[in-house]
Protein backbone atom coordinates (compact mmCIF):
# COMPACT_ATOMS: atom_id res chain seq x y z
CA UNK A 1 0.00 0.00 0.00
CA UNK A 2 2.82 2.34 0.82
CA UNK A 3 4.44 1.57 -2.56
CA UNK A 4 1.15 2.04 -4.46
CA UNK A 5 0.57 5.61 -3.31
CA UNK A 6 2.97 7.40 -5.72
CA UNK A 7 1.66 5.37 -8.70
CA UNK A 8 -1.96 6.28 -7.98
CA UNK A 9 -0.95 9.87 -7.47
CA UNK A 10 0.96 9.99 -10.76
CA UNK A 11 -1.95 8.43 -12.66
CA UNK A 12 -4.21 11.03 -11.08
CA UNK A 13 -1.86 13.85 -12.07
CA UNK A 14 -1.69 12.61 -15.66
CA UNK A 15 -5.47 12.22 -15.87
CA UNK A 16 -5.95 15.76 -14.56
CA UNK A 17 -3.40 17.10 -17.06
CA UNK A 18 -5.19 15.32 -19.93
CA UNK A 19 -8.53 16.69 -18.70
CA UNK A 20 -7.15 20.24 -18.92
CA UNK A 21 -5.54 19.63 -22.33
CA UNK A 22 -8.76 18.25 -23.80
CA UNK A 23 -10.78 21.17 -22.47
CA UNK A 24 -8.18 23.55 -23.93
CA UNK A 25 -8.28 21.67 -27.25
CA UNK A 26 -12.07 22.15 -27.47
CA UNK A 27 -11.75 25.88 -26.67
CA UNK A 28 -8.91 26.43 -29.13
CA UNK A 29 -10.71 24.50 -31.91
CA UNK A 30 -13.81 26.68 -31.35
CA UNK A 31 -12.24 30.13 -31.01
CA UNK A 32 -8.59 29.93 -32.04
CA UNK A 33 -5.64 30.81 -29.80
CA UNK A 34 -5.98 34.61 -29.64
CA UNK A 35 -9.76 34.19 -29.12
CA UNK A 36 -9.45 31.87 -26.09
CA UNK A 37 -8.85 33.18 -22.55
CA UNK A 38 -7.59 31.22 -19.56
CA UNK A 39 -11.03 31.84 -18.03
CA UNK A 40 -12.61 29.98 -20.99
CA UNK A 41 -10.40 27.01 -20.15
CA UNK A 42 -11.25 27.08 -16.42
CA UNK A 43 -14.94 27.04 -17.38
CA UNK A 44 -14.60 24.32 -20.04
CA UNK A 45 -12.53 22.04 -17.79
CA UNK A 46 -14.65 22.66 -14.69
CA UNK A 47 -11.44 23.31 -12.74
CA UNK A 48 -10.27 26.28 -10.70
CA UNK A 49 -7.65 28.75 -11.90
CA UNK A 50 -5.27 27.35 -9.26
CA UNK A 51 -5.75 23.79 -10.50
CA UNK A 52 -5.04 24.75 -14.12
CA UNK A 53 -2.07 27.01 -13.32
CA UNK A 54 -0.49 24.20 -11.27
CA UNK A 55 -0.04 22.31 -14.57
CA UNK A 56 0.28 25.17 -17.04
CA UNK A 57 1.72 28.46 -15.82
CA UNK A 58 0.60 30.46 -18.91
CA UNK A 59 -1.59 30.31 -21.98
CA UNK A 60 1.55 29.96 -24.12
CA UNK A 61 2.51 26.79 -22.19
CA UNK A 62 -1.02 25.47 -22.70
CA UNK A 63 -0.93 26.19 -26.46
CA UNK A 64 2.44 24.42 -26.78
CA UNK A 65 1.24 21.44 -24.71
CA UNK A 66 -1.97 21.22 -26.79
CA UNK A 67 0.12 21.18 -29.98
CA UNK A 68 2.20 18.32 -28.59
CA UNK A 69 -0.89 16.48 -27.31
CA UNK A 70 -2.61 16.70 -30.72
CA UNK A 71 0.62 15.61 -32.38
CA UNK A 72 0.92 12.57 -30.11
CA UNK A 73 -2.65 11.47 -30.90
CA UNK A 74 -2.05 11.94 -34.64
CA UNK A 75 1.19 9.98 -34.32
CA UNK A 76 -0.60 7.09 -32.60
CA UNK A 77 -3.14 7.09 -35.44
CA UNK A 78 -0.29 6.96 -37.93
CA UNK A 79 1.12 3.82 -36.29
CA UNK A 80 -1.79 1.79 -37.65
CA UNK A 81 -0.62 2.68 -41.18
CA UNK A 82 3.10 2.20 -40.73
CA UNK A 83 2.61 -1.21 -39.11
CA UNK A 84 0.48 -2.57 -41.99
CA UNK A 85 2.10 -5.62 -43.58
CA UNK A 86 2.45 -5.64 -46.57
CA UNK A 87 2.39 -1.86 -47.02
CA UNK A 88 -0.80 -0.82 -48.90
CA UNK A 89 -0.49 1.42 -52.01
CA UNK A 90 -0.42 5.23 -51.56
CA UNK A 91 -4.18 5.84 -51.98
CA UNK A 92 -5.06 3.16 -49.41
CA UNK A 93 -2.51 4.59 -46.95
CA UNK A 94 -4.02 8.10 -47.28
CA UNK A 95 -7.44 6.54 -46.68
CA UNK A 96 -6.17 4.85 -43.49
CA UNK A 97 -4.75 8.10 -42.14
CA UNK A 98 -7.88 10.10 -43.08
CA UNK A 99 -10.03 7.51 -41.30
CA UNK A 100 -7.77 7.64 -38.25
CA UNK A 101 -8.19 11.45 -38.14
CA UNK A 102 -11.98 10.97 -38.41
CA UNK A 103 -11.90 8.72 -35.35
CA UNK A 104 -10.19 11.51 -33.35
CA UNK A 105 -13.15 13.80 -34.15
CA UNK A 106 -15.63 11.08 -33.15
CA UNK A 107 -13.79 10.32 -29.92
CA UNK A 108 -13.85 13.97 -28.87
CA UNK A 109 -17.37 14.51 -30.25
CA UNK A 110 -16.32 17.73 -31.98
CA UNK A 111 -14.57 18.89 -35.14
CA UNK A 112 -11.21 18.98 -33.45
CA UNK A 113 -8.97 18.61 -36.48
CA UNK A 114 -9.84 22.29 -37.04
CA UNK A 115 -7.38 23.13 -34.27
CA UNK A 116 -4.64 22.38 -36.82
CA UNK A 117 -5.73 25.46 -38.83
CA UNK A 118 -5.31 27.65 -35.76
CA UNK A 119 -1.92 26.09 -35.04
CA UNK A 120 -0.63 26.86 -38.53
CA UNK A 121 -1.88 30.44 -38.31
CA UNK A 122 -0.47 31.03 -34.82
CA UNK A 123 2.86 29.47 -35.82
CA UNK A 124 3.46 32.53 -38.03
CA UNK A 125 2.83 34.99 -35.19
CA UNK A 126 4.41 33.40 -32.13
CA UNK A 127 7.92 31.90 -32.51
CA UNK A 128 7.55 29.47 -29.56
CA UNK A 129 4.41 28.02 -31.15
CA UNK A 130 6.07 28.10 -34.57
CA UNK A 131 8.88 25.91 -33.19
CA UNK A 132 6.40 23.41 -31.69
CA UNK A 133 4.33 23.27 -34.90
CA UNK A 134 7.45 22.87 -37.02
CA UNK A 135 8.58 19.96 -34.82
CA UNK A 136 5.19 18.28 -35.29
CA UNK A 137 5.44 18.76 -39.06
CA UNK A 138 8.95 17.36 -39.22
CA UNK A 139 7.84 14.31 -37.21
CA UNK A 140 4.81 13.69 -39.46
CA UNK A 141 7.03 13.93 -42.53
CA UNK A 142 9.51 11.48 -40.97
CA UNK A 143 6.65 9.01 -40.60
CA UNK A 144 5.61 9.50 -44.24
CA UNK A 145 9.23 9.00 -45.32
CA UNK A 146 9.21 5.58 -43.61
CA UNK A 147 6.07 4.73 -45.57
CA UNK A 148 7.57 6.08 -48.82
CA UNK A 149 10.64 3.87 -48.37
CA UNK A 150 8.35 0.84 -48.11
CA UNK A 151 6.33 2.00 -51.16
CA UNK A 152 9.56 2.17 -53.08
CA UNK A 153 10.51 -1.40 -52.08
CA UNK A 154 7.00 -2.50 -53.16
CA UNK A 155 7.30 -0.71 -56.52
CA UNK A 156 4.52 1.82 -55.84
CA UNK A 157 6.72 4.86 -56.43
CA UNK A 158 9.62 5.54 -58.80
CA UNK A 159 12.80 3.69 -57.83
CA UNK A 160 14.94 6.82 -58.13
CA UNK A 161 12.67 9.07 -56.02
CA UNK A 162 13.83 10.58 -52.72
CA UNK A 163 11.48 9.28 -49.97
CA UNK A 164 11.82 12.67 -48.22
CA UNK A 165 10.34 14.43 -51.25
CA UNK A 166 7.45 11.96 -51.34
CA UNK A 167 6.99 12.62 -47.62
CA UNK A 168 6.76 16.37 -48.34
CA UNK A 169 3.99 15.74 -50.85
CA UNK A 170 2.03 13.48 -48.49
CA UNK A 171 2.36 15.91 -45.59
CA UNK A 172 0.86 18.43 -48.04
CA UNK A 173 -1.90 16.06 -49.18
CA UNK A 174 -2.99 15.44 -45.58
CA UNK A 175 -2.73 19.10 -44.49
CA UNK A 176 -4.70 20.09 -47.59
CA UNK A 177 -7.37 17.51 -46.75
CA UNK A 178 -7.80 18.94 -43.24
CA UNK A 179 -8.12 22.49 -44.61
CA UNK A 180 -10.65 21.46 -47.22
CA UNK A 181 -12.71 19.46 -44.72
CA UNK A 182 -12.80 22.44 -42.34
CA UNK A 183 -13.30 25.40 -44.71
CA UNK A 184 -15.17 23.90 -47.68
CA UNK A 185 -16.50 20.76 -46.07
CA UNK A 186 -17.61 18.81 -49.12
CA UNK A 187 -14.56 16.62 -49.72
CA UNK A 188 -15.46 13.20 -48.36
CA UNK A 189 -12.62 10.72 -47.72
CA UNK A 190 -13.93 8.69 -50.70
CA UNK A 191 -13.78 11.69 -53.05
CA UNK A 192 -10.35 12.87 -51.92
CA UNK A 193 -8.78 9.43 -52.14
CA UNK A 194 -10.42 8.82 -55.56
CA UNK A 195 -8.62 11.97 -56.76
CA UNK A 196 -5.32 10.39 -55.74
CA UNK A 197 -6.17 6.97 -57.22
CA UNK A 198 -6.81 8.69 -60.57
CA UNK A 199 -3.12 9.69 -60.75
CA UNK A 200 -1.60 6.32 -59.92
CA UNK A 201 -0.64 3.69 -62.50
CA UNK A 202 -3.50 1.20 -62.86
CA UNK A 203 -1.25 -1.80 -62.22
CA UNK A 204 1.77 -0.23 -60.46
CA UNK A 205 4.10 -1.82 -63.00
CA UNK A 206 7.40 0.04 -62.90
CA UNK B 1 -11.02 67.10 -70.94
CA UNK B 2 -14.51 67.14 -69.49
CA UNK B 3 -14.99 63.53 -70.58
CA UNK B 4 -11.66 62.43 -69.16
CA UNK B 5 -12.35 63.60 -65.63
CA UNK B 6 -14.54 60.70 -64.45
CA UNK B 7 -12.14 58.12 -65.92
CA UNK B 8 -9.14 59.61 -64.11
CA UNK B 9 -11.16 59.81 -60.93
CA UNK B 10 -12.24 56.18 -61.15
CA UNK B 11 -8.66 55.04 -61.81
CA UNK B 12 -7.58 57.09 -58.81
CA UNK B 13 -10.27 55.52 -56.63
CA UNK B 14 -9.25 52.01 -57.70
CA UNK B 15 -5.57 52.74 -57.12
CA UNK B 16 -6.33 54.06 -53.65
CA UNK B 17 -8.46 51.02 -52.88
CA UNK B 18 -5.63 48.68 -54.00
CA UNK B 19 -3.14 50.68 -51.92
CA UNK B 20 -5.28 50.07 -48.81
CA UNK B 21 -5.80 46.39 -49.64
CA UNK B 22 -2.08 45.79 -50.12
CA UNK B 23 -1.24 47.53 -46.85
CA UNK B 24 -3.91 45.44 -45.11
CA UNK B 25 -2.53 42.28 -46.74
CA UNK B 26 0.94 42.99 -45.33
CA UNK B 27 -0.47 43.64 -41.85
CA UNK B 28 -2.68 40.54 -41.90
CA UNK B 29 0.17 38.34 -43.19
CA UNK B 30 2.38 39.61 -40.35
CA UNK B 31 -0.01 39.49 -37.41
CA UNK B 32 -3.14 37.59 -38.45
CA UNK B 33 -6.65 39.02 -38.44
CA UNK B 34 -7.33 39.19 -34.67
CA UNK B 35 -3.82 40.65 -34.19
CA UNK B 36 -4.26 43.54 -36.66
CA UNK B 37 -6.02 46.78 -35.69
CA UNK B 38 -7.44 49.41 -38.04
CA UNK B 39 -4.73 51.73 -36.65
CA UNK B 40 -2.08 49.28 -37.95
CA UNK B 41 -3.61 49.58 -41.41
CA UNK B 42 -3.74 53.41 -41.29
CA UNK B 43 -0.03 53.40 -40.40
CA UNK B 44 0.97 50.78 -42.98
CA UNK B 45 -0.96 52.48 -45.81
CA UNK B 46 0.13 55.99 -44.81
CA UNK B 47 -3.52 57.09 -45.07
CA UNK B 48 -5.84 58.72 -42.58
CA UNK B 49 -8.62 56.87 -40.78
CA UNK B 50 -11.13 58.87 -42.84
CA UNK B 51 -9.52 57.83 -46.12
CA UNK B 52 -9.54 54.13 -45.18
CA UNK B 53 -13.07 54.14 -43.76
CA UNK B 54 -14.36 55.75 -46.97
CA UNK B 55 -13.51 52.49 -48.75
CA UNK B 56 -13.93 49.96 -45.95
CA UNK B 57 -16.39 50.75 -43.17
CA UNK B 58 -15.10 48.01 -40.82
CA UNK B 59 -12.25 45.57 -40.26
CA UNK B 60 -14.58 42.73 -41.27
CA UNK B 61 -15.16 44.40 -44.67
CA UNK B 62 -11.41 44.80 -45.07
CA UNK B 63 -10.75 41.15 -44.21
CA UNK B 64 -13.38 40.03 -46.72
CA UNK B 65 -12.01 42.37 -49.42
CA UNK B 66 -8.45 41.16 -48.76
CA UNK B 67 -9.62 37.55 -49.14
CA UNK B 68 -11.20 38.45 -52.50
CA UNK B 69 -8.14 40.46 -53.59
CA UNK B 70 -5.76 37.57 -52.79
CA UNK B 71 -8.12 35.19 -54.56
CA UNK B 72 -8.18 37.37 -57.67
CA UNK B 73 -4.38 37.51 -57.85
CA UNK B 74 -4.14 33.73 -57.36
CA UNK B 75 -6.78 33.29 -60.06
CA UNK B 76 -4.79 35.43 -62.51
CA UNK B 77 -1.72 33.31 -61.76
CA UNK B 78 -3.77 30.20 -62.47
CA UNK B 79 -4.70 31.48 -65.92
CA UNK B 80 -1.14 30.93 -67.13
CA UNK B 81 -1.60 27.22 -66.38
CA UNK B 82 -5.07 26.74 -67.78
CA UNK B 83 -4.16 28.46 -71.02
CA UNK B 84 -1.11 26.23 -71.66
CA UNK B 85 -1.47 24.35 -74.94
CA UNK B 86 -1.07 21.37 -74.91
CA UNK B 87 -1.84 20.89 -71.21
CA UNK B 88 1.33 19.84 -69.34
CA UNK B 89 1.26 16.73 -67.11
CA UNK B 90 0.14 17.06 -63.45
CA UNK B 91 3.60 17.58 -61.92
CA UNK B 92 4.47 20.33 -64.42
CA UNK B 93 1.14 22.08 -63.77
CA UNK B 94 1.75 22.06 -60.00
CA UNK B 95 5.18 23.51 -60.71
CA UNK B 96 3.65 26.33 -62.78
CA UNK B 97 1.17 27.23 -60.04
CA UNK B 98 3.85 27.05 -57.30
CA UNK B 99 6.08 29.34 -59.37
CA UNK B 100 3.18 31.77 -59.93
CA UNK B 101 2.62 31.90 -56.14
CA UNK B 102 6.34 32.58 -55.67
CA UNK B 103 6.08 35.56 -58.01
CA UNK B 104 3.30 37.02 -55.81
CA UNK B 105 5.69 36.94 -52.83
CA UNK B 106 8.45 38.57 -54.89
CA UNK B 107 6.14 41.25 -56.24
CA UNK B 108 5.03 42.24 -52.76
CA UNK B 109 8.50 41.75 -51.28
CA UNK B 110 7.12 39.78 -48.34
CA UNK B 111 5.96 36.26 -47.52
CA UNK B 112 2.39 37.05 -48.35
CA UNK B 113 1.14 33.57 -49.11
CA UNK B 114 1.16 33.21 -45.30
CA UNK B 115 -2.02 35.25 -45.22
CA UNK B 116 -3.78 32.11 -46.49
CA UNK B 117 -3.04 30.39 -43.16
CA UNK B 118 -4.72 33.21 -41.26
CA UNK B 119 -7.69 33.10 -43.65
CA UNK B 120 -8.22 29.39 -43.06
CA UNK B 121 -8.00 29.86 -39.30
CA UNK B 122 -10.32 32.86 -39.23
CA UNK B 123 -12.81 31.10 -41.52
CA UNK B 124 -13.61 28.76 -38.60
CA UNK B 125 -14.31 31.62 -36.18
CA UNK B 126 -16.16 34.22 -38.25
CA UNK B 127 -18.98 33.00 -40.53
CA UNK B 128 -18.73 35.99 -42.94
CA UNK B 129 -15.04 35.25 -43.51
CA UNK B 130 -15.79 31.54 -43.68
CA UNK B 131 -18.21 32.21 -46.55
CA UNK B 132 -15.64 34.32 -48.44
CA UNK B 133 -12.87 31.73 -47.92
CA UNK B 134 -15.19 28.90 -48.97
CA UNK B 135 -16.06 30.80 -52.17
CA UNK B 136 -12.34 31.21 -52.95
CA UNK B 137 -11.77 27.49 -52.36
CA UNK B 138 -14.68 26.49 -54.58
CA UNK B 139 -13.37 28.76 -57.35
CA UNK B 140 -9.83 27.35 -57.11
CA UNK B 141 -11.22 23.82 -57.27
CA UNK B 142 -13.32 24.74 -60.30
CA UNK B 143 -10.11 25.85 -62.04
CA UNK B 144 -8.36 22.59 -61.13
CA UNK B 145 -11.38 20.65 -62.44
CA UNK B 146 -10.92 22.37 -65.85
CA UNK B 147 -7.29 21.26 -65.81
CA UNK B 148 -8.24 17.72 -64.72
CA UNK B 149 -10.67 17.43 -67.63
CA UNK B 150 -7.83 18.29 -70.00
CA UNK B 151 -5.48 15.82 -68.24
CA UNK B 152 -8.09 13.16 -68.77
CA UNK B 153 -8.33 13.94 -72.51
CA UNK B 154 -4.50 13.79 -72.67
CA UNK B 155 -4.40 10.43 -70.85
CA UNK B 156 -2.60 11.75 -67.76
CA UNK B 157 -5.28 10.58 -65.31
CA UNK B 158 -7.57 7.57 -65.27
CA UNK B 159 -10.35 7.73 -67.86
CA UNK B 160 -13.06 6.86 -65.35
CA UNK B 161 -11.99 9.43 -62.73
CA UNK B 162 -14.28 12.31 -61.69
CA UNK B 163 -12.42 15.58 -62.50
CA UNK B 164 -14.01 17.14 -59.38
CA UNK B 165 -12.31 14.55 -57.17
CA UNK B 166 -8.97 15.21 -58.86
CA UNK B 167 -9.61 18.93 -58.29
CA UNK B 168 -10.16 18.24 -54.56
CA UNK B 169 -6.79 16.50 -54.39
CA UNK B 170 -4.95 19.31 -56.21
CA UNK B 171 -6.57 22.00 -54.06
CA UNK B 172 -5.20 19.96 -51.15
CA UNK B 173 -1.75 19.58 -52.70
CA UNK B 174 -1.46 23.35 -53.20
CA UNK B 175 -2.88 24.26 -49.78
CA UNK B 176 -0.51 21.74 -48.20
CA UNK B 177 2.42 23.28 -50.08
CA UNK B 178 1.60 26.74 -48.74
CA UNK B 179 1.35 25.43 -45.16
CA UNK B 180 4.61 23.57 -45.42
CA UNK B 181 6.43 26.54 -46.97
CA UNK B 182 5.21 28.81 -44.17
CA UNK B 183 5.51 26.58 -41.07
CA UNK B 184 8.37 24.20 -41.92
CA UNK B 185 10.01 26.10 -44.72
CA UNK B 186 12.27 23.47 -46.20
CA UNK B 187 10.11 22.18 -49.04
CA UNK B 188 11.47 23.77 -52.20
CA UNK B 189 9.28 23.73 -55.32
CA UNK B 190 11.73 21.19 -56.82
CA UNK B 191 11.42 18.84 -53.85
CA UNK B 192 7.64 19.08 -53.61
CA UNK B 193 7.08 18.52 -57.32
CA UNK B 194 9.59 15.63 -57.34
CA UNK B 195 7.41 13.97 -54.67
CA UNK B 196 4.46 14.16 -57.07
CA UNK B 197 6.46 13.00 -60.09
CA UNK B 198 7.47 9.89 -58.12
CA UNK B 199 3.80 8.78 -58.04
CA UNK B 200 3.03 9.24 -61.72
CA UNK B 201 3.42 6.56 -64.37
CA UNK B 202 6.79 6.93 -66.08
CA UNK B 203 5.28 7.08 -69.57
CA UNK B 204 1.63 8.00 -68.85
CA UNK B 205 0.46 5.01 -70.86
CA UNK B 206 -3.14 4.29 -69.91
Amino acid sequence: MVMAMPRVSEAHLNARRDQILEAAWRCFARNGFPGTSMQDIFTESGLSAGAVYRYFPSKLELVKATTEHVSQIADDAFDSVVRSEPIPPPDTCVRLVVDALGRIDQLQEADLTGVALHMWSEALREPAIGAAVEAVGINVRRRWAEVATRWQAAGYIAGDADPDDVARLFYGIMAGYIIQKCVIGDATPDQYVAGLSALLPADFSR
Side-chain angles (χ1 to χ4, degrees), chain A:
Chain A
M1 289 298 279
V2 172
M3 292 297 288
M5 281 292 285
R7 287 213 312 274
V8 170
S9 179
E10 195 182 328
H12 176 77
L13 289 171
N14 285 339
R16 181 56 58 93
R17 191 173 185 276
D18 283 354
Q19 178 187 352
I20 297 167
L21 283 176
E22 285 173 9
W25 188 351
R26 288 190 296 272
C27 291
F28 292 143
R30 199 155 53 223
N31 290 317
F33 297 117
T36 298
S37 66
M38 287 300 273
Q39 182 60 55
D40 294 335
I41 293 165
F42 308 151
T43 304
E44 181 77 25
S45 64
L47 296 172
S48 68
V52 172
Y53 281 123
R54 189 187 307 166
Y55 293 84
F56 302 101
S58 69
K59 191 171 112 179
L60 178 59
E61 290 305 313
L62 204 39
V63 173
K64 285 163 59 183
T66 300
T67 302
E68 283 149 20
H69 184 62
V70 171
S71 170
Q72 186 56 55
I73 289 178
D75 210 50
D76 292 346
F78 213 94
D79 280 337
S80 63
V81 179
V82 179
R83 289 186 184 145
S84 299
E85 190 64 57
I87 192 77
D91 46 357
T92 307
C93 285
V94 167
R95 181 59 195 247
L96 289 170
V97 177
V98 164
D99 287 346
L101 291 175
R103 281 193 296 276
I104 295 175
D105 276 0
Q106 282 168 359
L107 199 67
Q108 303 281 337
E109 295 178 340
D111 190 352
L112 292 179
T113 47
V115 80
L117 277 61
H118 301 308
M119 284 176 185
W120 292 321
S121 163
E122 198 64 7
L124 298 188
R125 288 175 12 99
E126 168 54 56
I129 297 171
V133 170
E134 182 181 355
V136 171
I138 288 172
N139 183 54
V140 169
R141 288 208 314 219
R142 190 178 54 74
R143 305 301 303 272
W144 276 116
E146 292 170 35
V147 172
T149 301
R150 297 183 61 198
W151 285 337
Q152 205 158 31
Y156 291 138
I157 61 172
D160 59 354
D162 182 341
D164 288 335
D165 291 343
V166 176
R168 288 181 171 92
L169 180 77
F170 280 81
Y171 173 89
I173 286 176
M174 291 310 308
Y177 171 74
I178 293 171
I179 289 173
Q180 198 158 187
K181 175 168 95 69
C182 293
V183 305
I184 311 186
D186 73 336
T188 65
D190 279 345
Q191 290 171 318
Y192 200 68
V193 172
L196 177 57
S197 303
L199 295 181
L200 303 176
D203 59 354
F204 286 114
S205 59
R206 288 188 184 274

